[in-house]
Amino acid sequence: MRIPCPYCGDRDSQEFVYRGDASPVRPADPAEETEFFDYVYLRENPAGPIDELWYHAQGCRNWITLTRDTRDHAISAARLTSEGKSA
Amino acid sequence: MSRLSTGGLIDRTRPLKFTFDGKQYSGFEGDTLAAALLANEVRLVARSFKYHRPRGILTAGTEEPNALVTLREGARAEPNSKATAVPLYDGLVASSQNRWPSLGFDLLALNQLASPIFVAGFYYKTFMRPAALWEKLYEPLIRRAAGLGALSGLPDPDSYDRKHAFCDLLVIGAGPSGLAAALTAGRSGLRVILADDDMAMGGHLLKERSEIAGAAGADWAAGVVEELASYPNVTLLPRTGVFGVYDGHEYGAVERVSDHLPEPLPGQPRQRFWKIVARHALLASGAIERPLIFPGNDRPGVMMASAVSAYLNRFAVAPGKKAAIFTSCDTGWQTALDLQAAGIGVAAVVDTRAQMPALADRLDLSDCVVALQGAIVDIKGSKSVKGATIRDGSGKETSVVCDLVAMSGGWNPAIGLGSNFGNRPVWSEELNAFLLDKAPPGFSPVGSAAGRMSLTSALGDGIRAATEVVQQLGKSPAEMAIADVAETGGTSENMLWVPSGIEGKAFVDFQNDVTASDIKLAASEGFVSIEHLKRYTTMGMATDQGKLSQLNGHGLLAEETKKTIAEAGTIMSRPPYTPIALGVIAGHHRGEHFRPVRHTASHDWAAENGAAFVDVGQWKRAQWFVQPGETEWRTSVDREVKATRGGVGICDVSTLGKIDVLGPDAATLLDRLYANMFSTLPVGRARYGLMLREDGFVMDDGTATRFAEDRYYVTTTTANAARVMQHIDFARQVIWPELDVQATSVTEQWATYSIAGPQSRAVLQALLPDIDLTNEAFKFMAAGEYRWRGTKIRLFRVSFSGELAYEISIGANRGRQLLEAIMEAGAPFGIVPYGTEALGVMRIEKGHPAGNEMNGQTTAGDLGMGRMLSTKKDFIGRAMAQRPGLTDPGRMSLVGLKPIDPAATLRAGAHLLAKGAEPKAANVQGRVTSAAFSPTLGYSIALALVTGGQERIGEEMLLNDIVRATDVPVEICDAVFVDPAGERLRG
Amino acid sequence: MTHYSLFTLLRNALTGHRHWDRAWRDAEPQESYDVIIVGGGGHGLATAYYLAKEHGITNVAVLEKGWIGGGNAGRNTTIIRSNYGLPGNIPFYEWSMKLWEGMEQDLNYNTMVSQRGVLNLYHSDAQRDAYARRGNMMRLHGVDAELLGRDQVQAMAPFLDYENARFPIQGGLLQRRGGTARHDAVVWGYARGASDRGVDIIQNCAVTGMLRGPDGSVTGVETTRGPIRAKKVGLSVAGNSSRLAEMAGLRLPIESHVLQAFVSEGLKPLIPGVITFGAGHFYVSQSDKGGLVFGGDIDGYNSYAQRGNLPTVEDVCEGGMALMPMIGRARLLRSWGGIMDMSMDGSPIIDHAPVGGLYLNAGWCYGGFKATPAAGWCFAHLLATDQPHETAADFRLDRFATGHVIDEKGQGAQPNLH
């Protein structure tokens, strides 16, 4: 698989570490324990497009948000996670 | 010899010697092993898997199911090599397999007598009683019979290479359409890679007597290859099979660099694994001829018609002296023409169709039985064909004498790679074959792989497809014209002939001995999904991966279940397209080079000073240093511990993870990363820190040092260096991107040494006379940046051993220099280097949790560090650490253990039982996490996690170690064995 | 149903094998059932079998979207073992092992359970101690385990690389009762047994939605073959648990990941049992047909595609070559991918769903095959009695909320690390 790193360009997926579902947002503290439980343990797991986090560990060390289809692995969007969802 | 006197693409000036089953033969350069065997009239070359039926050569390509041999000898032996795809070389040694005592007389052929029992799936129905006999008798017997060839059992002596390539166009297959496509793209300036599995490029042009532009097809191909070779933008990869399609337009291919040689040339790999990223790929893999299903269709001498033509035209070998043809399409007739052209008699042509094709006009049909709407219903001969019984449309049977049967059941486009992405091929009524409906992105079939079967249409399709790619990439395509194509092979429709009412063994999957009646049986038992059929009968699971068997099997299934073949469907091909050596995928990552080795700056110094090394992740760390006269590792370790605690020792701790954290929000970030507080840390001080995972369990520990208001230096354990770096980047980029803070891994940049022991201050002071290291000036947990001989150093007063201790860091390139200087400065104080073992002993003596305790299953509370969890701030893991499962008072927590009998040895991995309790799971109350012999105390000590923890100090328990057969009575004690008040490290 | 035996095989041989019964009935969906099991894999069929056999509940349908055994039941590397280390896991997997040991006679189907041993190699002192911990805990649970030194390993497996290795083998943890079983046969055996007891096995019937009662509880399923009502619906669709649970409005602590597996060409016997490499991701056994069956780590990214990519293929082959450099000249015949329910602590879930009428058997990670009989047994127990079976009592869905996770590897809430 080739990952389109917004900073480095297309790179082999071997350079990246995978984290998964990008949708959970860490609750601001203090939060209900259940909100943290949701954040830590529950995942969107669709058969279809998913926003997910990859870390370019052997490259620029940026966290990247990819939109990737879990049915055919087609990647439709990539952005630096730190730049927020608007980008 | 059955070598024809003229013709072929072999080099008759280069005779080659080879042996098969110990007998010597000769062939020519350009032969495959199969061609050379046929030239020497060797027809029996193998035995089948189940029935041990005599088998010969069926095909002239990689789809061969029968002619499997063990190639080469000794450590280079390659079992299950397809003789039809092995290039002949001088001195080649091959032997038959799956037979005993010999190929000609194979006792296991007795299995054939049991064939009425050995039907599809018979083993699921028996061997069940008595139960004990399965393990003792039945299974060992089945296993002994399993497999075809044998591995040598010796390490593979050859090396393998790996290469990455990028191109605009990858052309898979160098037949007519592939060559036409590559030529078009090459002339248009695209970066082209042309890969072909065969040793010579040309595909079917090498096997047929077609003509292009007034030249023989093979000569035209040679001309194209020559032109392509002249283009710097074209890479030709003969002997290279593309085996799989992967995400991101990536293709896996194996180039057989040296397999056509007796052994690789010096410095050359045996094979090379190509990872090719191609913007576009054209599948020009051609088509594979289908066998026909009739009794005896597996006998040596029954061959694919196109293979017979290939042996005649390419290798100038006559596979027989008198042939019968059985065909359902024009191909059989073309082969008859090829045979007659080579002077070989054709005894009969049997066509399943009602009409003779136009091609027949060119055949000499005198002395030739022609049967339309006919079939071969029996083959005479066992180890070679001696004759065939033909039934014509009226039911009349005729016997002919022949030693060769050429069969053709039509053609299947070779679309395997195209279904790697899970796109199920669809049935084409027009073509009577499966075609790709949808293919992976950037991938399309051309030529006969796309069902464009004639030479003219294949060439045109190659040009068209490549032209489209050129245009898509914004270049201007070269003008292409290929004129004067003389076709061979006829133009008939591609009929699928499925017989009914077969009597006798008619094989569908040759290698796995799956017969038409097996398919019928499976269908009657309800295994009617094609996937069930495959799994129940093993059809298509042999080394030819079903390339020949699949469609016939599915045709029979459709017939049996009264479905159309389109409804029955077909299976999808999964990588590899043809089997590939495991060694080539591993490449050079084997033996010592399995994984990279990381050396610290003073590795060589350590090696010169007697270090024994231990693997810690990828690092090599000095485990202990052997002094002259030391024969037991314990002697060295005990000495190192005593010397350090009694004087001074030095340990290379460069492998610890090191991270610089910089920026106005550095303190805020660290407060959120660590369970304890770091914003309150004064500049010039270090603090021990504990990190939790977000799920509340302990992740890692280390120190963070504040060198400036906005500049921290964080250390991690060796094992978690990468993980913590990732964690910090996650926190600052994903969770709190608003924080103005950067983090950089500097693990490799700094060499770090721990100098420990009561004399450590004196040693350091000697090394750094300009720095005031008195306890008042440089307290416990003090830190600073200084220079040593002009180079920046970082100095920390931190201790893992519990002794007065310092860590000193310097740029890695001067690490060894610094170490040598410390050793020199320390010599008057008797400084010794110590390794990870002594380090481990001292940390156990001091009760410091490490990896064994922080194994991802423990909480801060378990490790006696519950009070470190700040209640004044949010930090990662805070919320989840409060869950009942993590705060349960019944959890095990950290204590020390000492043996009641001081001579006893404690070991990690043992469990703890209350004194007198029965050894069973319900009675387990703890486990030993770390253990060591303490030279300081003179007996074995251990750290353990125990239910109730500290409250049980003084209690006697039993250390129960069943797998090492030891029971040791122990007493629970405090985890800190040495200097519990911590006076030494503060002194 | 014809009893399978050598005698019936011989009798049928005389009549040209024309009189065998279908192995299982191909049933048409009825309007309603007592229990619907979604998923015709090993787990689902075993559940139906034990519901019928142990609990007398036979008005049961197993719904399979494709062909039975077409998911992970037919895509695994066929290893059976009970060498777990945590008290929450060991009794369950040991119960599974006991069921494997009696399976052929119970099912009257030869599933080729082959107890030739599972050997986990260790390469460091720390790994040895971790295996000792696990082996000791197994023994304390009455499960067989032996800690072997290097010489004992070398005697068992002389073909491994002991000389030139990057991470030399120091020894291994051996479970002699571990081994392999013929995966497809397990599916067919349970299907035949369940079908014979009246269970409807309905293939090509994909569930597309949940029927809900007025109180929100699940009362059946929508399928491609129409709605089917049931008193209880059990999901046994590992790999797709999240998708099915979503139909009932649930999010699960599960991600779907692809695990690749590999088989070599058929070779004469050379590997005694199952061997796992402790310094890389590689495990291998040899099938009754002679193929080396091997695998390694999951690819590591969410996927429903049932295929993987080259980095894992390389990683696995590197592990293989590092461990046994003789296999360099063996050829890879086929690779494939299965979709794993990777749970947040690496352990499974057999529990009520938070929605009435719905039951979960999920989160098996890459360890579902070995669990097949016990998962069926325990899920059937839960469906029949509404109480967890004693050996599966810790496989609760709410353990993540309470913190009673069963994390064998200590990797935390990051599914691809388990």
Side-chain angles (χ1 to χ4, degrees), chain B residues 229-269:
Chain B
S230 74
Y231 294 135
N233 54 317
V234 175
T235 304
L236 296 176
L237 294 176
R239 293 188 297 270
T240 303
V242 176
F243 66 79
V245 188
Y246 297 90
D247 287 314
H249 299 232
E250 187 170 36
Y251 298 83
V254 171
E255 179 187 6
R256 296 187 305 281
V257 180
S258 306
D259 281 354
H260 59 301
L261 303 172
E263 57 185 74
L265 296 172
Q268 286 290 309

Side-chain angles (χ1 to χ4, degrees), chain A residues 1-2 12 14 17 19 26-27 29-31 33 36-37 39-41 53 55 61-63 72-73 81-82, chain B residues 166 247-248 250 275 694-695 725-726 729-730 733-737 743-745 874-876 878-880 883:
Chain A
M1 192 164 4
R2 309 280 297 170
D12 196 291
Q14 268 173 302
V17 171
R19 176 149 176 129
R26 191 176 191 275
D29 192 71
E33 206 172 278
F36 264 101
F37 161 73
Y39 169 68
V40 175
Y41 287 107
L53 296 169
Y55 177 59
R61 285 201 3 249
N62 275 303
W63 280 92
D72 60 8
H73 305 162
T81 310
S82 57
Chain B
F166 298 81
D247 287 314
E250 187 170 36
K275 294 172 78 173
E694 193 69 276
D695 70 352
M725 184 67 236
Q726 177 189 332
D729 276 337
F730 184 80
Q733 294 179 35
V734 182
I735 308 180
W736 300 292
T744 306
S745 167
D874 181 25
F875 59 89
I876 289 176
R878 189 195 64 80
M880 290 286 94
R883 287 178 291 167

Side-chain angles (χ1 to χ4, degrees), chain C residues 360-379:
Chain C
L360 297 175
N361 170 40
W364 287 99
C365 298
Y366 41 76
F369 178 69
K370 71 179 91 69
T372 303
W377 185 284
C378 296
F379 200 34

